[in-house]
Structures are given as C-alpha cells and as structure tokens.
Amino acid sequence: MLLLYLITAGTAVTLDSAAKALQGIQEIFEIVDRRLAGGKTYLVGDTISAADITFAALAAPVLLPPEHPVMVSKIAELPIEMAAVIKQLQSTATGVYALRLYREQRQVQ
C-alpha cells in the first residue's frame, strides 16, 4: 500500500488520468495495427529498423514481454484488471508484432 501511495502521490495518477492514458495506448495500437495490415512484418520496409525497435521498447511496459531484460513481472502476479488489459493488448496484431520482435530479436541472458 505504501508503494502504491508513493507512486500515485508522486505522479498525480487518478482513475480518470489512467483511463485516458489507456485510451491513448489503445489508439496507438490501432494505428500500428493498420500499419501492419496486409501481413507486414515490420513498420518500415522489409527488415527490422529503428522504428520497430523503438516501438517494441516503448510498448514493453504494457505488454510485459518475457524476454525483456528488466521487466520480469508475471501477469499472474498482477491485479486481475491490469492483467486483463495486458492480455487484451498482447492479443492485438500490434501486441503480437512487438512480442514477436522481443522473442526473435532479444536474447535472454
């Protein structure tokens, strides 16, 4: 509880701001979904680029890829509502794409 208090007190997170942030994330995922439509493997061109790496890195906090070197949270350990959002995002074409990049391009040490 103390950690939750410190996080929310220091960042002014409210239910409303969290809902707006999630809406923004979902809108970005929809944009990337459209960009990947038609079976595209990468955002730009036929090979992995800085755009792909950047997107995967920025999406990692909401996808929790197992191959991420720092984020080791397990979905099963999260609150049910948070786990449901993460699973929903992982199931989108964008989520599948970003998780694939981690799986194929990131070697777990």
Side-chain angles (χ1 to χ4, degrees), residues 88-101:
Q88 185 274 324
L89 291 170
Q90 287 177 338
S91 71
T92 64
T94 297
V96 169
Y97 148 78
L99 291 171
R100 177 183 56 80
L101 290 177

Side-chain angles (χ1 to χ4, degrees), residues 52-93:
D52 301 296
I53 294 166
T54 301
F55 182 80
L58 293 174
V62 296
L63 294 175
L64 297 181
E67 297 83 5
H68 194 281
V70 177
M71 283 179 241
V72 292
S73 296
K74 305 230 183 314
I75 292 178
E77 297 170 355
L78 298 173
I80 293 170
E81 298 85 2
M82 186 180 290
V85 168
I86 291 170
K87 288 177 183 177
Q88 185 274 324
L89 291 170
Q90 287 177 338
S91 71
T92 64

